[in-house]
Amino acid sequence: MAHLASLSVLSTAARPEGTVWRAIRTAAEALAAAQPLLRDLLLPVLKAATGRQMLIGTLAARLAHRPGDRALAAQILSSVEDAALLAETEADIAAIVSRDPANPDPLTILLNLKGFQALQVHRFAHRLWQAGRMEAARWLSSQASLVFGLDIHPGARLGQGIMLDHGSGIVIGETTVIEDDISILQQVTLGGTGRDKGDRHPKIRRGVLIGAGAKILGNIDVGAYSKVAAGSVVLDPVPPHSTVAGVPARVVRHHAAEERPAATMNQQID
């Protein structure tokens, strides 16, 4: 499946529609032939006629926490109609292919990366939330939390080209905004600071890298193309093109304008 790594150099907009899903199907067919014991795992891909069906079938299978959950999840996911959703998913796949050397092909990402899977469930849940279908949105988010071990409120607004690396322990609050091309590592909290109501969670601007274990609290901006060092506690706004570190976090470096922390995944702070 190494040939699929070539997808990393193509933007979602530049690829013909459906290319990534055809590549996923081809890889699944090859894997099923080589390892027949995995065929049942691959059925959501092998039986699907479209990329949307591949995505819904895979997520429904993963969300099945109790008997009957799989069918209910598939029904709820299938009820969401939004042409932009699949394009956002493709952008997330391309981001992971380009940033994570441990997961170089789209089939592996679709089937096995819980951060990616949880993010895609959120995309459906957020659309339900916006449509006023609050209980369906909450159910999807609750199932995702049980299965994947991270918690994204369905009200949170997330862009595309996002990588939730590992995913474990990530918490994203209701009024959080995460723009495009973001990388977030495990155990990150984007939370509030008390019992305030209304707009109370962070705004993560384009191109930001948030290191493992960082806590960003309150309705504050993390400026574009900035970096939050692992283990930091951020209570004040972060300027664009800067690195913050520490408890509480302070600016320790200003970047050149062309630096792209989320893309390079460089964790150094000097």
Side-chain angles (χ1 to χ4, degrees):
M1 293 188 286
H3 67 284
L4 295 178
S6 62
L7 289 171
S8 65
V9 300
L10 297 176
S11 71
T12 302
R15 289 199 307 273
E17 184 177 357
T19 296
V20 67
W21 303 104
R22 287 195 295 272
I24 287 172
R25 186 192 310 282
T26 298
E29 290 170 348
L31 184 58
Q35 300 188 50
L37 288 176
L38 297 180
R39 186 170 182 82
D40 285 350
L41 171 67
L42 298 166
L43 284 178
V45 174
L46 298 174
K47 293 172 61 177
T50 65
R52 173 180 164 83
Q53 290 175 7
M54 289 184 204
L55 180 62
I56 288 173
T58 301
L59 295 180
R62 294 288 281 125
L63 288 170
H65 187 66
R66 298 167 300 185
D69 284 349
R70 182 170 183 165
L72 177 59
Q75 290 172 353
I76 293 174
L77 294 168
S78 296
S79 73
V80 176
E81 295 288 347
D82 189 319
L85 193 150
L86 203 63
E88 293 170 8
T89 299
E90 292 180 20
D92 297 336
I93 291 173
I96 296 168
V97 169
S98 67
R99 298 174 201 168
D100 188 355
N103 295 288
D105 75 81
L107 178 62
T108 296
I109 293 165
L110 177 64
L111 294 181
N112 298 310
L113 266 66
K114 64 181 181 180
F116 167 82
Q117 293 167 338
L119 175 58
Q120 305 321 308
V121 173
H122 171 75
R123 297 199 182 286
F124 286 89
H126 180 66
R127 284 160 167 84
L128 292 168
W129 186 265
Q130 288 184 310
R133 299 171 63 190
M134 306 301 196
E135 291 309 314
R138 289 190 179 103
W139 185 83
L140 281 182
S141 293
S142 177
Q143 290 297 104
S145 182
L146 288 169
V147 171
F148 303 123
L150 63 163
D151 194 338
I152 309 175
H153 192 285
R157 291 181 286 157
L158 278 64
Q160 62 183 16
I162 294 172
M163 180 171 75
L164 304 182
D165 197 16
H166 302 292
S168 299
I170 290 175
V171 176
I172 299 174
E174 177 183 7
T175 60
T176 301
V177 175
I178 299 175
E179 294 185 350
D180 296 346
D181 303 325
I182 306 292
S183 294
I184 300 175
L185 280 81
Q186 69 271 20
Q187 302 296 330
V188 165
T189 297
L190 305 177
T193 58
R195 297 180 63 186
D196 292 341
K197 296 186 181 296
D199 195 356
R200 61 195 184 278
H201 295 105
K203 310 297 178 277
I204 312 301
R205 303 307 177 189
R206 189 183 189 103
V208 168
L209 169 63
I210 305 177
K215 315 300 178 189
I216 305 174
L217 306 176
N219 183 13
I220 57 175
D221 267 32
V222 177
Y225 303 106
S226 288
K227 183 190 306 184
V228 178
S232 299
V233 177
V234 183
L235 302 173
D236 296 308
V238 176
H241 302 285
S242 61
T243 293
V244 296
V247 181
R250 296 288 183 264
V251 175
V252 296
R253 178 173 175 264
H254 294 284
H255 308 167
E258 64 272 14
E259 287 193 30
R260 297 292 182 265
T264 63
M265 297 294 292
N266 184 349
Q267 306 293 310
Q268 297 295 324
I269 63 173
D270 54 10

